[in-house]
Amino acid sequence: MLRLYTSFFKQYLFWILFFALGRLVFLLFYGSEIFQQTDSFVEVLTSFQKGFNLDLATASYFMLIPFLMHLVMAFFSPPIMNQLLKIYHVSLVILYSLLVSGELGIYAEWKTKINYKALLYLQNPSEVVESAQNSQILGLSFIAFVLSGLGIWLYSKYFHSKLVRLEQPTFSILTFLLLMPPLLILGARGGIQEIPINQSQSFYSKHAILNTAATNSVFNLYISYHENKNHLNRNPFEEMPFSDAKKIVVDIYQTNGDSTLKILTHSKPNIVLIIMESWSADLVFTPENEEEVTPRFHKLMEKGLYFDHIYASGPRSEQGMASIFSGFPAHAISSITVQPDKYQKLPSLVKDLKDEGYFTSFYFGGQLIYGNIKSYMMFNEFDRIKEVYDFNKELPRGKLGIHDEFSLMEMGREIGKDPLPFFSSLFTISTHSPYDQPMEEKIVWGGNEQQYLNSAYYTDYSIGKFMDDAETKEWYPNTLFIFVADHSHNSYKNLPMSNPEYQKIPLLFYGNVIDSSWRGKTISHLGIQTDIAATLLPQLNMSAEKYHWSKNLLNPEAPQFAYVSYEEGFAWKRPVGAISYEKRFDHYHVKVENEALQDSLSKEGKAFLQVLFQEYMDQ
């Protein structure tokens, strides 16, 4: 019995150690660059600790075939099976060594790990060879050769067991069959936590090169390929020549002049951004004769500037983050935030504010591993990032994390100690299922969404409590508060997701820094979350030019439109009408009666998604 288990776990251990060896090679190769950025040897070594979980997950995938082979050899173990097992591991050793050495070559140029684009370049190996220096090719080939040789030697000498005549008792085989699959599954998904593991698990440093070192190369390549496998060579939303689509998009964003309305009395206020999980605009505007779901938000609207025609560009939180902080709209099929090689090329509202002297922070009472949000937030270079593990362990929490009132109050306590001006953002959590907020249910209507409405009532209460406390702080008079949702949610209206009104969300600017003439007013400019950057930065006398998917909601001359993505389709809305089209079914879920208007809206929406997705592919 022990031979079976010993052989299996020795091979498991081999991959954990060999992945660590590959990481060591990267750290040594770029050692001079690393220690130009940090003089902390401990921080460098932490990459091994932070990389362990992804290494374990990747090793679990690698060990699926050896598990089956061990199971077979428990019944029948001729020498050829032993050789096949060795060939399998040796082949993976060589491939992994080539991957590591390839990354050493591309990191200096791309500042990222090998991704699916590198696989495309391999279709023309002559171009790769011609574009590289001979010394570089020889050097990297030598590293691949040495790493492969070392790995094969280590595996053969210390980790490979000759399982000839392994025949095991029935009890041993049954135990192996029952125990190993759950172990491999748990290892592959990173444990029993609700959210499966992703690259965020390895991100820990403000220095991108250390996060790159910590991230398992095989796991990262798999994610990159998985997210892009269906459109490696062709834009799946291509509807017309790209030049025609590009011209349509340029015309869509055409602005005849700059008549920006100045609403702030200070050009450099503190900024507090509250991103409200799953807040539909329907939460704010409830049916008559029903108890209000968000009474405190209504009070803020009475003294703030509310934007009442704003839509979320996508249905997922990670898409909302890229829309808000990078002005990059969500698109069908995938999310740019799950791919570090792509989002690193996006602009960053956080970085721009840091350049203007802002101290920045981000708070979330849950796990930022969801949607790879943590790695994206670290790309934004917040001065302080706090997730559930970083809060006081005594704070009350539910299944997903710390309840909103406590995370908001924690942020309120800390930002008062930060340098001025500050930009602090918090992502709420309580309006996400399972809705286990610590408050007795107040909303008795809403049908199938009654729990959701009650969770929103609690978050609204938490925001009100936070704002009451904020009013007593010295920093309050010179602070702009921005409230916006990451995406919408099904409401008591029960609209289909393909309906653009499903993704209508609240956006509110609030604070004493807003000129009194604008308080209590409503802006009805049609827009989406991506417009926050181009709306906010001009108020701070900052350029928003790099946010080319963003438009200024406070410029009456700016175009009016809303774009929403879902599944493999999109919704497109203009003041004159809206359409919703799903590519995979070639079907319009929402149409307008006027045929000419239908054609015009369809052409604009298709061009928008085609150009957007092409930019995503080209990143």
Side-chain angles (χ1 to χ4, degrees):
M1 178 176 179
L2 287 179
R3 287 182 64 201
L4 179 65
Y5 285 88
T6 300
S7 172
F8 185 80
F9 282 110
K10 280 172 65 178
Q11 292 171 27
Y12 220 134
L13 177 61
F14 167 77
W15 284 112
I16 299 296
L17 296 176
F18 196 56
F19 290 147
L21 180 60
R23 181 172 299 111
L24 177 62
V25 170
F26 181 89
L27 293 171
L28 291 174
F29 192 87
Y30 283 103
S32 60
E33 181 175 339
I34 290 172
F35 283 104
Q36 286 177 3
Q37 299 181 35
T38 177
D39 58 1
S40 174
F41 192 63
V42 172
E43 184 179 13
V44 176
L45 289 180
T46 301
S47 65
F48 291 93
Q49 175 199 341
K50 293 297 183 180
F52 175 79
N53 286 340
L54 277 189
D55 290 348
L56 181 64
T58 308
S60 298
Y61 283 111
F62 277 18
M63 290 302 293
L64 288 173
I65 291 178
F67 161 71
L68 296 175
M69 297 181 75
H70 277 74
L71 194 60
V72 170
M73 286 189 287
F75 293 100
F76 178 66
S77 54
I80 187 64
M81 289 295 292
N82 185 70
Q83 291 302 314
L84 289 174
L85 183 61
K86 187 172 184 179
I87 290 171
Y88 170 80
H89 284 290
V90 166
S91 299
L92 289 181
V93 165
I94 294 172
L95 290 173
Y96 178 70
S97 300
L98 290 171
L99 179 60
V100 169
S101 60
E103 283 186 345
L104 297 179
I106 71 165
Y107 183 80
E109 184 71 24
W110 291 5
K111 296 302 179 185
T112 186
K113 305 185 79 67
I114 282 184
N115 52 43
Y116 80 99
K117 282 187 179 180
L119 301 181
L120 297 182
Y121 288 134
L122 292 179
Q123 295 176 353
N124 299 290
S126 60
E127 293 183 12
V128 177
V129 173
E130 291 171 2
S131 62
Q133 298 178 4
N134 290 335
S135 59
Q136 185 182 36
I137 294 175
L138 290 173
L140 295 177
S141 298
F142 177 74
I143 291 174
F145 177 78
V146 172
L147 188 58
S148 296
L150 182 59
I152 294 170
W153 178 77
L154 287 171
Y155 173 76
S156 301
K157 186 171 180 63
Y158 296 106
F159 298 93
H160 182 72
S161 300
K162 294 182 179 180
L163 300 179
V164 181
R165 294 185 297 276
L166 180 63
E167 291 86 350
Q168 299 286 295
T170 302
F171 173 77
S172 299
I173 298 172
L174 183 61
T175 304
F176 187 76
L177 177 61
L178 293 176
L179 291 181
M180 291 306 106
L183 175 68
L184 291 173
I185 292 172
L186 286 175
R189 75 182 307 278
I192 61 175
Q193 76 280 0
E194 185 171 346
I195 305 169
I197 196 171
N198 57 44
Q199 296 101 311
S200 278
Q201 188 74 44
S202 297
F203 278 61
Y204 70 99
S205 174
K206 293 181 179 179
H207 308 295
I209 191 170
L210 293 180
N211 296 325
T212 298
T215 303
N216 185 280
S217 301
V218 179
F219 191 97
N220 186 77
L221 180 58
Y222 165 74
I223 292 297
S224 179
Y225 176 75
H226 176 73
E227 292 293 328
N228 298 280
K229 62 184 178 181
N230 295 323
H231 48 270
L232 291 177
N233 296 299
R234 181 179 179 276
N235 187 333
F237 300 106
E238 183 177 338
E239 297 279 353
M240 62 192 80
F242 182 77
S243 58
D244 293 348
K246 182 68 175 177
K247 183 179 185 305
I248 291 173
V249 173
V250 170
D251 290 342
I252 287 172
Y253 277 92
Q254 184 65 43
T255 303
N256 296 324
D258 187 356
S259 303
T260 298
L261 307 170
K262 299 295 287 188
I263 65 167
L264 300 183
T265 57
H266 296 272
S267 62
K268 206 169 185 178
N270 305 310
I271 304 170
V272 172
L273 171 64
I274 306 297
I275 303 172
M276 303 173 296
E277 164 72 56
S278 303
W279 266 50
S280 165
D282 293 339
L283 297 174
V284 179
F285 300 101
T286 53
E288 293 183 12
N289 303 320
E290 298 288 5
E291 185 173 359
E292 287 183 305
V293 176
T294 57
R296 291 306 305 267
F297 194 82
H298 284 163
K299 288 187 176 181
L300 296 177
M301 288 171 61
E302 292 173 1
K303 296 182 179 180
L305 180 61
Y306 186 72
F307 298 81
D308 68 346
H309 280 75
I310 304 300
Y311 294 77
S313 69
R316 300 202 296 271
S317 296
E318 71 272 18
Q319 294 174 322
M321 296 301 163
S323 295
I324 293 168
F325 291 110
S326 293
F328 190 81
H331 50 75
I333 298 178
S334 183
S335 302
I336 197 168
T337 55
V338 302
Q339 299 170 79
D341 57 298
K342 289 183 177 292
Y343 67 60
Q344 289 179 17
K345 299 171 186 175
L346 296 179
S348 167
L349 183 62
V350 182
K351 291 181 181 179
D352 288 344
L353 290 172
K354 281 170 66 74
D355 289 343
E356 291 296 314
Y358 278 79
F359 181 89
T360 60
S361 57
F362 182 87
Y363 295 78
F364 180 51
Q367 300 176 68
L368 285 175
I369 191 176
Y370 177 81
N372 206 40
I373 292 175
K374 183 176 181 179
S375 69
Y376 172 71
M377 289 305 164
M378 297 196 74
F379 150 74
N380 278 277
E381 298 181 0
F382 281 96
D383 294 305
R384 178 171 61 244
I385 297 176
K386 292 188 70 169
E387 59 178 321
V388 62
Y389 313 109
D390 305 310
F391 284 81
N392 186 327
K393 291 181 173 55
E394 301 301 318
L395 291 178
R397 61 189 67 195
K399 186 175 181 181
L400 294 183
I402 298 167
H403 300 301
D404 286 343
E405 64 178 301
F406 305 105
S407 58
L408 280 162
M409 296 304 287
E410 180 93 346
M411 178 182 74
R413 283 190 294 269
E414 291 190 348
I415 59 178
K417 304 174 185 177
D418 291 338
L420 302 178
F422 58 73
F423 171 70
S424 187
S425 179
L426 182 141
F427 182 27
T428 68
I429 194 173
S430 298
T431 39
H432 193 292
S433 61
Y435 313 126
D436 55 353
Q437 68 277 356
M439 174 182 276
E440 181 182 348
E441 291 193 354
K442 301 288 186 180
I443 306 300
V444 296
W445 60 278
N448 58 311
E449 293 297 346
Q450 185 178 342
Q451 280 188 300
Y452 165 63
L453 298 185
N454 275 283
S455 70
Y457 186 93
Y458 169 71
T459 296
D460 178 75
Y461 157 80
S462 301
I463 289 173
K465 183 177 179 181
F466 166 74
M467 293 302 294
D468 288 343
D469 182 70
E471 288 182 6
T472 67
K473 307 299 184 183
E474 292 184 4
W475 49 264
Y476 177 82
N478 192 37
T479 300
L480 172 66
F481 298 85
I482 301 176
F483 299 87
V484 68
D486 61 334
H487 57 78
S488 189
H489 187 281
N490 187 44
S491 73
Y492 50 85
K493 291 183 179 179
N494 288 306
L495 297 173
M497 187 177 287
S498 56
N499 188 316
E501 299 310 303
Y502 179 102
Q503 284 292 358
K504 193 171 186 180
I505 59 172
L507 172 61
L508 175 69
F509 283 23
Y510 180 88
N512 290 354
V513 293
I514 297 177
D515 189 279
S516 58
S517 63
W518 286 104
R519 298 178 198 171
K521 297 291 182 64
T522 297
I523 297 288
S524 295
H525 205 106
L526 185 57
I528 53 180
Q529 293 154 311
T530 56
D531 299 333
I532 290 175
T535 302
L536 174 63
L537 292 178
Q539 298 295 319
L540 309 178
N541 297 323
M542 296 171 60
S543 172
E545 184 177 357
K546 66 179 73 171
Y547 301 88
H548 57 272
W549 292 103
S550 183
K551 62 181 183 293
N552 189 348
L553 299 172
L554 290 172
N555 180 5
E557 302 297 325
Q560 297 202 50
F561 66 83
Y563 153 86
V564 171
S565 72
Y566 59 89
E567 295 295 332
E568 294 188 31
F570 70 90
W572 182 257
K573 182 172 178 129
R574 287 282 203 173
V576 292
I579 59 108
S580 178
Y581 174 75
E582 192 152 6
K583 171 75 172 180
R584 59 181 170 177
F585 303 130
D586 190 23
H587 175 72
Y588 286 91
H589 296 282
V590 176
K591 299 179 69 174
V592 293
E593 293 183 4
N594 184 292
E595 186 174 342
L597 179 58
Q598 170 72 17
D599 291 343
S600 174
L601 292 172
S602 179
K603 196 170 185 178
E604 283 187 342
K606 288 179 177 180
F608 189 96
L609 179 54
Q610 178 178 335
V611 174
L612 172 63
F613 203 87
Q614 189 63 50
E615 182 172 320
Y616 160 76
M617 290 177 62
D618 293 342
Q619 292 283 15

